[in-house]
């Protein structure tokens, strides 16, 4: 039964990674597709490859997820907690994907972990949750908004005397690089989050110690599932990010993607903080759009997105807690 529970939990973790891929593929490529710098299929293929590569660029975020948010639960109860946490995250991902709302898969996962841990009587490391999740949740959109505005302002100043058509053509080419950087950062951040969950499952199942390095097969399987999910595409969310917040042109798309990628790499390597790629790119798009004129951004759409950010963690936590009670009822 222990081995079966471990296999099922790892399978569900990989399923979550797949939903993360198609839910968050828009983060990396919506701006490139909306400015016609890349065709949708070419953009998705590029994002899938770069997500795969990004998964191997470090392990700091994975260690934060596996050791820094909840106490490692033990035995069958522990596996039930992880299973419920993942179920809560997957359900919220599917709900927000259906409504085209670019909420955070990361915060759905963290909310699921906290909700399932509380339901199962496992300790939550509140200092880790606050330092690595809550504070970055508030700070990263603010940084994205301001940095996006500043980067776009610099671009406008640097190219103020350029031929607009030539400049746009050049930025369309540059966007293939910035979109690749965004996808690489997404792989660096989001594949590692699932790696942390799988490692926790292996520790609970007594397959490896908590201090052992992440097995290569875990890295490969998480990276591949994220890439497959990315290639499946998240067209509903892509429309929201690419068109509904603001109509982007190539220089704006480049500025937003460059800002987002820079923030993701900095937080992964310097702070080892698992931030939301959704929060970063959405706020960067808002900041970039505000340089045109403040009312160029459709703030009504932006308000709905931000509200979705704030309810994601508690909503996923409630679904995960309910899932834990159902698992306990069915399997004891």
């Amino acid at each position: 039964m222990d081995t079966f529970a471990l296999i099922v939990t790892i399978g569900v973790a990989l399923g979550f990674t797949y939903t993360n891929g198609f839910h968050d593929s828009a983060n990396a490529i919506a701006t490139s597709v909306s400015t016609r710098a890349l065709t949708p299929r070419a953009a998705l293929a590029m994002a899938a490859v770069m997500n795969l590569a990004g998964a191997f660029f470090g392990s700091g975020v994975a260690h934060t997820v596996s050791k820094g948010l909840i106490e490692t639960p033990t035995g069958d109860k522990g596996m039930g907690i992880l299973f419920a946490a993942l179920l809560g995250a997957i359900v919220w991902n599917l709900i927000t994907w259906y409504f085209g709302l670019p909420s955070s898969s990361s915060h759905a996962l963290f909310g699921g972990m906290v909700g399932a841990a509380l339901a199962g009587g496992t300790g939550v490391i509140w200092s880790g949750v606050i330092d690595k999740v809550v504070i970055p949740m508030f700070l990263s959109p603010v940084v994205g908004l301001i940095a996006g505005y500043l980067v776009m302002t610099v671009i406008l100043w640097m190219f103020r005397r350029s031929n607009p058509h030539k400049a746009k053509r050049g930025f369309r080419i540059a966007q293939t690089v910035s979109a690749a950087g965004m996808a690489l950062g997404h792989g660096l951040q989001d594949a590692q989050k699932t790696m942390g969950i799988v490692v926790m499952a292996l520790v609970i199942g007594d397959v490896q110690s908590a201090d052992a390095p992440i097995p290569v097969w875990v890295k490969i399987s998480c990276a591949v599932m994220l890439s497959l999910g990315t290639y499946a595409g998240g067209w509903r969310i892509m429309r929201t990010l690419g068109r509904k917040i603001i109509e982007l042109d190539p220089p704006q798309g480049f500025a937003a993607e460059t800002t987002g990628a820079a923030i993701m790499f900095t937080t992964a390597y310097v702070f080892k903080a698992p931030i939301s790629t959704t929060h970063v790119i959405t706020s960067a798009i808002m900041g970039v759009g505000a340089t045109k004129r403040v009312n160029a951004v459709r703030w009504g759409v932006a308000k709905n997105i931000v509200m979705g950010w704030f309810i994601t963690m508690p909503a996923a936590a409630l679904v995960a807690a309910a899932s834990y009670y159902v698992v306990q009822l069915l399997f004891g």
Side-chain angles (χ1 to χ4, degrees), residues 218-236:
V218 172
K219 290 186 178 183
I220 292 171
S221 55
C222 290
V224 167
M225 289 304 287
L226 187 70
S227 290
L228 289 174
T230 298
Y231 193 68
W235 304 107
R236 290 171 187 265

Side-chain angles (χ1 to χ4, degrees), residues 117-257:
L118 290 173
T122 292
V124 176
I125 305 170
W126 291 110
S127 60
V129 172
I130 291 167
D131 291 347
K132 299 292 187 182
V133 178
V134 176
I135 291 174
M137 181 173 77
F138 285 98
L139 276 184
S140 59
V142 174
V143 173
L145 191 74
I146 295 170
Y149 183 89
L150 293 175
V151 169
M152 191 63 215
T153 301
V154 170
I155 287 172
L156 287 170
W157 184 81
M158 286 175 66
F159 291 90
R160 66 193 184 282
R161 294 192 178 91
S162 300
N163 179 298
H165 295 295
K166 281 186 179 176
K168 282 186 179 180
R169 201 159 50 240
F171 275 106
R172 273 205 180 92
I173 297 166
Q175 262 200 281
T176 59
V177 178
S178 59
M182 191 71 204
L184 196 68
H186 181 243
L188 173 67
Q189 278 277 350
D190 284 33
Q192 284 193 49
K193 290 161 191 168
T194 311
M195 288 179 206
I197 293 290
V198 174
V199 165
M200 195 180 269
L202 293 173
V203 172
I204 293 168
D206 208 22
V207 175
Q208 71 170 53
S209 69
D211 298 321
I214 301 169
V216 175
W217 69 266
V218 172
K219 290 186 178 183
I220 292 171
S221 55
C222 290
V224 167
M225 289 304 287
L226 187 70
S227 290
L228 289 174
T230 298
Y231 193 68
W235 304 107
R236 290 171 187 265
I237 293 168
M238 210 179 297
R239 280 193 291 273
T240 300
L241 277 181
R243 293 283 180 194
K244 288 186 181 176
I245 297 173
I246 184 172
E247 297 282 343
L248 293 168
D249 61 21
Q252 290 172 327
F254 173 80
E257 289 168 343

Side-chain angles (χ1 to χ4, degrees), residues 283-324:
S283 57
I285 289 171
M286 292 176 197
V288 163
T291 60
K292 187 183 281 186
R293 61 185 187 282
V294 173
N295 63 0
V297 178
R298 297 183 182 103
W299 295 107
V301 175
K303 183 190 76 175
N304 292 340
I305 291 169
V306 172
M307 282 176 64
W309 292 352
F310 286 113
I311 64 170
T312 288
M313 275 191 74
L318 286 172
V319 175
S323 300
Y324 178 76

